[in-house]
């Protein structure tokens, strides 16, 4: 009966809710009180019908918060699951919602009907001490006190004045955490606020020279430079790189070679060291034997040739040996032999092409030499059988240009060696 009546009342309240909000405030409060009494009476049969009586209590008897927050978390304790009604005895506006649920909350005047649950967020909007009645829909009632006060500020910290800003004290409400600034102090022209260190004018160090940079501190308020310190960065020193080979000169068979081992700094490239390494000469390597300067032997004169060895590496001559080829002896003429006293002069004249004999195989050593033969021998000894062109007109009537001795006679005449037997005769066949 009690539960059915409660459900009927809930439906009736939902239907009539809008009408109550249209009434004046005093009539709303009066009707709310009447409605609360009716609902309490309606609950009596529940107990009478042997429904379990519930004891209702809260986790605290008194709750305090400030006007900004004005919301209290109240945990309602009961031996049965049921709805709860919250109302301010003094008629102040109150609302409640079950924490952590989206279930609909029905509020009429000073009453609030919630769902089954334990913890509620209860809000009272007016400053003061309020006694709140909490009644279960099945059985049991209790009361608690909610104090809504102004902010309770507590001193937290002091902000000192700066070069451009006032100082002040910060207070915080102990209930809602609201922050409040007060107790201002005037600007302090010397109250600069140091910022973080800023690095300026950075110059890298090198292998041989120090670098520098400035540590500068500026005021974060006005931007004024407060301090500047120049820091020295020591020179890094040279960093040796790998050895590099330069100026390589190959050794030869007779001369040493060389190269330089050089170390440079890997940072700046400066030469740190240079050492010249000597490569010993490799000496000659004998190549194949060559034959040079071959001279054929003649009847009276030795011949020869050179046996030469060159270096197979550099080509330089290592050794040279001249080998003599003995004269062959003999004669091209049948009427001249090596046992005759005139043998060598005849062979000399023959081998130097001064005289060729009467025929290919006879010399006629006992014959008388003619004038033409004599100037021919002189010409050949002087000009080595070179052709000659006459420089003057031929004055000799007994010398023709078609004769074999013409050039030789004209050469002797042009050079003043002969004049002829007369102004117009030479007598080429005359004996010397």
């Amino acid at each position: 009966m009690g539960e059915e009546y409660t459900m009927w009342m809930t439906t009736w309240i939902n239907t009539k809710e809008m009408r109550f909000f249209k009434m004046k405030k005093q009539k709303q409060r009066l009707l709310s009180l009447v409605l609360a009494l009716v609902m309490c009476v309606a609950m009596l049969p529940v107990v009478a019908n042997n429904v379990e009586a519930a004891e209702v209590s809260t986790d605290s008897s008194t709750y305090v918060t400030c006007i900004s927050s004005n919301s209290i978390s109240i945990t309602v304790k009961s031996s049965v699951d049921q709805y709860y009604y919250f109302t301010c005895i003094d008629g102040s506006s109150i609302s409640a919602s079950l924490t952590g649920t989206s279930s609909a909350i029905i509020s009429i005047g000073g009453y609030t009907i919630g769902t089954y649950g334990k913890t509620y967020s209860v809000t009272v909007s007016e400053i003061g001490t309020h006694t709140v009645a909490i009644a279960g829909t099945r059985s049991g009632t209790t009361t608690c006190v909610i104090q809504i006060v102004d902010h309770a500020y507590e001193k937290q910290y002091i902000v000192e004045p700066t070069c451009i800003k006032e100082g002040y004290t910060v207070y915080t409400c102990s209930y809602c955490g609201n922050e409040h600034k007060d107790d201002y102090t005037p600007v302090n022209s010397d109250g600069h606020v140091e910022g973080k260190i800023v690095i300026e004018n950075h110059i890298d160090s090198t292998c041989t020279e120090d670098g520098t940079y400035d540590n500068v501190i500026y005021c974060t308020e006005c931007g004024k430079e407060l301090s500047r310190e120049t820091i020295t960065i020591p020179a890094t020193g040279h960093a040796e790189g790998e050895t590099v080979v330069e100026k390589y000169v190959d050794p030869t068979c007779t001369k040493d070679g060389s190269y330089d081992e050089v170390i440079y700094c890997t940072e700046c490239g400066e030469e740190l060291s240079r050492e010249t390494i000597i490569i010993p000469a490799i000496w000659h390597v004998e190549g194949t034997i060559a034959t040079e300067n071959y001279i054929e032997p003649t009847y009276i004169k030795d011949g020869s040739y050179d046996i030469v060895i060159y270096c197979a590496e550099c080509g330089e001559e290592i050794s040279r040996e001249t080998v003599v080829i003995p004269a062959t002896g003999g004669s091209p003429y049948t009427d001249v032999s090596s046992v005759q006293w005139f043998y060598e002069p005849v062979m000399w004249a023959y081998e130097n092409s001064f005289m060729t004999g009467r025929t290919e195989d006879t010399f006629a050593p006992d014959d008388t030499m003619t004038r033409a033969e004599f100037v021919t021998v002189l010409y050949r000894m002087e000009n080595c059988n070179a052709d000659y062109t006459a420089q003057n007109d031929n004055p000799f009537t007994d010398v023709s240009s078609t004769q074999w001795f013409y050039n030789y006679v004209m050469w002797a005449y042009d050079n003043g060696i002969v004049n002829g037997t007369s102004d117009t005769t030479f007598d080429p066949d005359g004996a010397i």
Side-chain angles (χ1 to χ4, degrees):
M1 176 64 181
E3 293 182 2
E4 292 177 357
Y5 185 76
T6 301
M7 293 178 65
W8 177 85
M9 285 298 297
T10 302
T11 302
W12 184 84
I13 290 170
N14 286 330
T15 304
K16 302 302 181 178
E17 181 179 5
M18 293 305 297
R19 296 179 183 178
F20 282 106
F21 289 120
K22 295 179 181 180
M23 297 178 182
K24 294 181 179 180
K25 185 175 183 181
Q26 292 179 349
K27 288 182 179 181
Q28 290 179 6
R29 290 180 178 178
L30 179 59
L31 290 175
S32 296
L33 291 172
V34 173
L35 179 59
L37 291 173
V38 172
M39 294 182 68
C40 288
V41 173
M43 292 173 58
L44 293 177
V46 175
V47 178
N49 291 330
N50 295 322
V51 176
E52 179 184 354
E55 292 184 1
V56 178
S57 63
T58 58
D59 57 339
S60 179
S61 60
T62 302
Y63 303 89
V64 182
T65 189
C66 68
I67 187 64
S68 291
S69 177
N70 72 8
S71 179
I72 296 294
S73 178
I74 299 177
T75 300
V76 181
K77 301 177 181 179
S78 177
S79 59
V80 296
D81 288 333
Q82 59 181 334
Y83 294 103
Y84 296 100
Y85 304 97
F86 294 77
T87 183
C88 281
I89 301 302
D90 61 7
S92 298
S93 176
I94 185 172
S95 63
S97 61
L98 184 63
T99 302
T101 181
S102 60
S103 301
I105 302 300
I106 303 170
S107 298
I108 301 177
Y111 298 96
T112 299
I113 300 175
T115 60
Y116 295 118
K118 293 181 179 181
T119 302
Y120 292 84
S121 177
V122 181
T123 301
V124 179
S125 60
E126 298 179 13
I127 294 177
T129 301
H130 306 278
T131 301
V132 177
I134 304 172
T137 57
R138 298 180 66 180
S139 66
T141 61
T142 188
T143 62
C144 64
V145 175
I146 296 178
Q147 292 182 3
I148 305 300
V149 300
D150 203 350
H151 291 296
Y153 286 113
E154 295 179 356
K155 184 177 179 180
Q156 298 298 312
Y157 57 90
I158 296 175
V159 176
E160 298 294 337
T162 68
C163 52
I164 59 174
K165 293 181 181 180
E166 294 178 324
Y168 53 84
T169 301
V170 177
Y171 298 87
T172 303
C173 177
S174 60
Y175 293 112
C176 66
N178 183 65
E179 189 178 274
H180 172 67
K181 298 177 182 178
D182 206 347
D183 302 331
Y184 285 88
T185 55
V187 170
N188 179 6
S189 59
D190 295 326
H192 296 294
V193 179
E194 290 188 358
K196 294 181 179 179
I197 294 176
V198 179
I199 296 178
E200 295 181 354
N201 304 326
H202 184 95
I203 300 174
D204 288 323
S205 61
T206 66
C207 301
T208 57
E209 296 184 358
D210 293 340
T212 59
Y213 64 88
D214 293 342
N215 278 343
V216 189
I217 297 177
Y218 293 96
C219 174
T220 58
E221 299 296 317
C222 66
K224 181 180 179 181
E225 181 180 311
L226 304 181
S227 67
R228 179 179 292 270
E229 179 185 8
T230 299
I231 307 298
T232 299
I233 309 171
T236 59
H238 293 298
E240 289 190 0
E242 296 182 355
T243 301
V244 178
V245 175
E246 295 182 354
K247 299 182 179 180
Y248 189 92
V249 178
D250 285 319
T252 66
C253 300
T254 57
K255 293 183 179 180
D256 292 338
S258 65
Y259 62 89
D260 291 348
E261 289 186 345
V262 190
I263 296 177
Y264 293 96
C265 174
T266 59
E267 298 297 322
C268 66
E270 182 176 334
E271 181 180 311
L272 305 182
S273 66
R274 180 180 291 271
E275 180 183 4
T276 299
I277 307 299
I278 301 300
I279 308 171
I282 59 177
W283 301 108
H284 292 303
V285 177
E286 289 188 359
T288 56
I289 298 175
T291 300
E292 296 180 355
N293 304 325
Y294 184 86
I295 300 175
E296 289 280 354
T298 65
Y299 294 110
I300 61 172
K301 186 176 180 181
D302 292 340
S304 66
Y305 62 90
D306 293 340
I307 297 175
V308 189
I309 299 176
Y310 292 97
C311 175
E313 295 295 323
C314 67
E316 184 176 333
E317 182 180 309
I318 298 175
S319 65
R320 178 179 292 271
E321 178 185 3
T322 300
V323 178
V324 176
I325 306 172
T328 62
S331 171
Y333 305 120
T334 57
D335 54 357
V336 177
S337 68
S338 60
V339 297
Q340 294 172 304
W341 66 268
F342 51 80
Y343 171 74
E344 288 190 4
V346 171
M347 291 298 100
W348 175 82
Y350 170 78
E351 290 176 356
N352 288 282
S353 300
F354 298 150
M355 301 180 74
T356 58
R358 293 291 185 188
T359 64
E360 290 184 357
D361 58 356
T362 61
F363 182 73
D366 296 325
D367 289 354
T368 301
M369 178 179 284
T370 66
R371 288 171 55 84
E373 291 174 336
F374 178 74
V375 295
T376 299
V377 171
L378 292 179
Y379 175 84
R380 289 174 177 173
M381 293 180 67
E382 181 67 20
N383 297 285
C384 300
N385 294 325
D387 292 335
Y388 179 75
T389 301
Q391 303 296 313
N392 296 294
D393 293 336
N394 181 10
F396 304 119
T397 57
D398 54 358
V399 176
S400 170
S401 61
T402 60
Q403 293 173 301
W404 64 269
F405 49 79
Y406 172 76
N407 284 340
Y408 310 128
V409 173
M410 291 306 300
W411 169 81
Y413 174 76
D414 287 342
N415 288 279
I417 297 173
V418 295
N419 293 320
T421 55
S422 69
D423 291 337
T424 59
T425 62
F426 179 71
D427 189 15
D429 294 324
I432 292 298

